[in-house]
Amino acid sequence: VAALLRLSAFVDWRAGEAAPATGRILVVTNAADPSVNNAVVASIMDKWRARGGVVDAHEFAAALDLPHDIIDPNQPDAQIEHVYPILVELVRGG
């Protein structure tokens, strides 16, 4: 957990210091996930955009009640039949 907190602090700091090193960033959030602070994620996206980054975002609605890990098909509450097609389309640029 400490390593993830250090990494997130670095990403937040770096987003305020320099433009992203990639041409496009796709951020996917889950409104039902209590483990992730989506306000912090939005702040980082704003910092990237302010530095000229192209940031696309998609948020899965809270009403879907998705688990934290939305990708693992072995999750008891996984809804991969809903999530996977959306993720594939997003990655393809749709």
Side-chain angles (χ1 to χ4, degrees):
V1 173
L4 286 175
L5 290 174
R6 280 194 302 273
L7 176 60
S8 66
F10 176 77
V11 169
D12 186 33
W13 169 79
R14 186 68 179 153
E17 296 293 315
T22 186
R24 177 179 176 243
I25 299 169
L26 171 61
V27 177
V28 178
T29 55
N30 172 5
D33 188 348
S35 302
V36 177
N37 186 334
N38 289 337
V40 172
V41 175
S43 172
I44 291 170
M45 291 177 3
D46 289 343
K47 290 176 185 179
W48 282 330
R49 287 178 177 133
R51 299 224 170 252
V54 177
V55 182
D56 297 321
H58 177 82
E59 181 169 79
F60 286 99
L64 294 171
D65 200 28
L66 295 172
H68 171 74
D69 186 345
I70 64 170
I71 295 175
D72 184 355
N74 296 315
Q75 285 290 337
D77 298 326
Q79 296 180 37
I80 60 170
E81 68 284 347
H82 178 75
V83 171
Y84 281 16
I86 293 170
L87 292 176
V88 168
E89 184 64 25
L90 289 168
V91 169
R92 287 184 176 158

